[in-house]
Amino acid sequence: MFALLSDYESLRLIWWVLLGVLLIGFAVTDGFDLGVGALLPFVARTDVERRVAIHTVSATWEGNQVWLVLGGGAIFAAWPALYALSFSGFYLAMFFVLVALILRPVAFKYRSKDESPAWREGWDRALFVGGAVPALIFGVAVGNVLQGVPFHFTDDLRPIYSGTLVGLLNPLALFCGFISLAILVAHGAAWLAFKAEGPVAERARAIGAKAALATAALFALGGLLVWAGAFGGYQVVTPLPGDGPSNPLTKDVIADAGAWLANFRADPRLALVPLLGIVAPLLVAAGFRTRLTGATLLASSLGIACIVTTVGLSMFPVILPSSTHPGHALTVFDASSSRATLRNMLIATVLFLPIVLAYTAWVYRVLRGKVSERDITAPGSPAY
């Protein structure tokens, strides 16, 4: 253990894995919150039905969103250059995401303040925006990362981003956004089928099955586009010492349309991950039809995990390629924080993450059970 804590290369790899775990944790937990918001206008037709859908996530959405904070904090602490470039380069896109995410808690709190149908419908639309916009934009961001982001460093390692918001919304990035939206809609539908009763759950099953099939088809098409070189790719052509300095200007990188498949060619066993990214949504669609709600939710979570993991495996060791100056790309081994920072954060993570996971599991256990219209209309039930 002590040898591991002193090995710079191992620390960098561990934090690359941990970053992936945090992103998957956010996509799986807060993903069904976003999916429920995006589904709200389509699965609920009356105020009571909308309240049923909202109550399935109202008690846990705040805790789920903490995974996003943890992911952002991990990027800031472990990969400062990645944080600086992504949060500044994607500033306007992140601004829209933050506005959408801010609308969600405001809508939860203010929806019940007035019984006017117009008032409540307005906040329901805010919940829809708060779910659909982040689900789309997160996928758009991944699409841009796969294609490469227009940035470079000055001689004193000051990052310069030269892109625009319009450039971020390119066809291939939007295609990735639709994959993200489809899988999170299916995930939200799986959650509603698991937690809700009555018409809300029935409509969620019907919509979720279509969204799951769309996810499988779009992800498979995305694989074909990567194979055809549509997304491009970047290959590091100089050795990257695992314990080398955190300086992205000390290597050579070339644009190579087949680079995002290189790791899968080197180890064909890795192909199981994207394969599961296609199979799992198909299992989700089958689960909706067989009404195996728990298995459907697990399959949906597996699909999300495999899709996120596929991106990480295809790009490794690159974590943020540059489309204008390929040699300035950020990699796992030249963009991290210091050895001491990674070591100290890992110790803190090992100590506190199990507590967070145990508390989260306890909360979900306490809040287990389905939500019905009878629960919503009973005296003393939460307003929302």
Side-chain angles (χ1 to χ4, degrees):
M1 180 65 180
F2 292 105
L4 183 66
L5 291 176
S6 63
D7 184 33
Y8 205 5
E9 180 178 5
S10 297
L11 288 170
R12 284 165 160 168
L13 289 172
I14 289 172
W15 273 102
W16 177 74
V17 172
L18 282 175
L19 177 59
V21 169
L22 292 174
L23 294 177
I24 290 172
F26 168 69
V28 169
T29 57
D30 204 42
F32 61 71
D33 297 337
L34 299 178
V36 169
L39 282 167
L40 190 60
F42 309 103
V43 299
R45 298 174 181 173
T46 67
D47 182 65
V48 172
E49 290 177 356
R50 286 191 287 271
R51 290 176 64 194
V52 168
I54 291 170
H55 271 261
T56 64
V57 298
S58 60
T60 57
W61 72 268
E62 288 180 289
N64 293 340
Q65 195 161 288
V66 169
W67 287 95
L68 178 61
V69 179
L70 289 174
I75 294 174
F76 173 77
W79 315 98
L82 174 62
Y83 181 90
L85 280 166
S86 58
F87 280 76
S88 60
F90 296 162
Y91 180 82
L92 289 176
M94 291 295 181
F95 175 80
F96 289 130
V97 168
L98 288 176
V99 169
L101 292 177
I102 289 170
L103 282 175
R104 184 168 55 171
V106 176
F108 279 134
K109 298 302 181 183
Y110 279 87
R111 185 184 187 279
S112 62
K113 300 301 182 182
D114 194 319
E115 295 184 1
S116 165
W119 172 270
R120 293 193 169 188
E121 288 173 5
W123 289 116
D124 290 339
R125 285 192 288 271
L127 286 172
F128 168 74
V129 172
V133 170
L136 178 69
I137 295 298
F138 286 138
V140 169
V142 172
N144 278 283
V145 169
L146 284 170
Q147 296 174 80
V149 179
F151 73 87
H152 66 277
F153 289 94
T154 61
D155 292 338
D156 58 354
L157 294 182
R158 184 167 59 92
I160 304 294
Y161 176 80
S162 56
T164 63
L165 177 61
V166 176
L168 294 176
L169 300 177
N170 59 80
L172 288 174
L174 288 172
F175 174 80
C176 292
F178 290 136
I179 296 177
S180 173
L181 181 60
I183 187 59
L184 293 186
V185 165
H187 195 46
W191 178 255
L192 286 173
F194 180 72
K195 287 288 291 183
E197 290 183 347
V200 171
E202 294 300 321
R203 296 187 192 111
R205 289 188 183 95
I207 297 173
K210 296 176 182 177
L213 292 174
T215 300
L218 289 172
F219 189 59
L221 177 58
L224 292 176
L225 290 175
V226 171
W227 177 78
F231 281 93
Y234 297 87
Q235 179 183 2
V236 181
V237 294
T238 51
L240 281 173
D243 59 350
S246 290
N247 185 344
L249 303 184
T250 60
K251 65 181 179 304
D252 292 325
V253 180
I254 60 172
D256 180 0
W260 293 156
L261 296 176
N263 290 332
F264 298 103
R265 295 192 187 100
D267 188 349
R269 293 173 297 179
L270 296 177
L272 180 62
V273 177
L275 179 61
L276 285 174
I278 298 172
V279 172
L282 296 177
L283 294 176
V284 172
F288 282 123
R289 291 182 169 82
T290 58
R291 298 177 180 271
L292 299 173
T293 57
T296 302
L297 185 60
L298 288 175
S300 178
S301 302
L302 175 63
I304 290 173
C306 288
I307 288 174
V308 175
T309 304
T310 296
V311 176
L313 290 176
S314 64
M315 294 181 60
F316 183 84
V318 178
I319 52 178
L320 187 66
S322 170
S323 58
T324 54
H325 295 71
H328 294 201
L330 304 180
T331 74
V332 173
F333 302 112
D334 67 9
S336 72
S337 293
S338 68
R339 186 197 313 262
T341 299
L342 297 183
R343 181 187 63 241
N344 294 338
M345 288 198 308
L346 181 60
I347 294 172
T349 301
V350 170
L351 291 175
F352 292 107
L353 186 58
I355 299 175
V356 173
L357 293 175
Y359 175 75
T360 301
W362 176 79
V363 168
Y364 275 94
R365 177 174 174 78
V366 170
L367 298 172
R368 66 188 182 277
K370 290 184 176 291
V371 180
S372 66
E373 293 186 12
R374 181 179 60 257
D375 300 324
I376 295 301
T377 56
S381 63
Y384 288 123

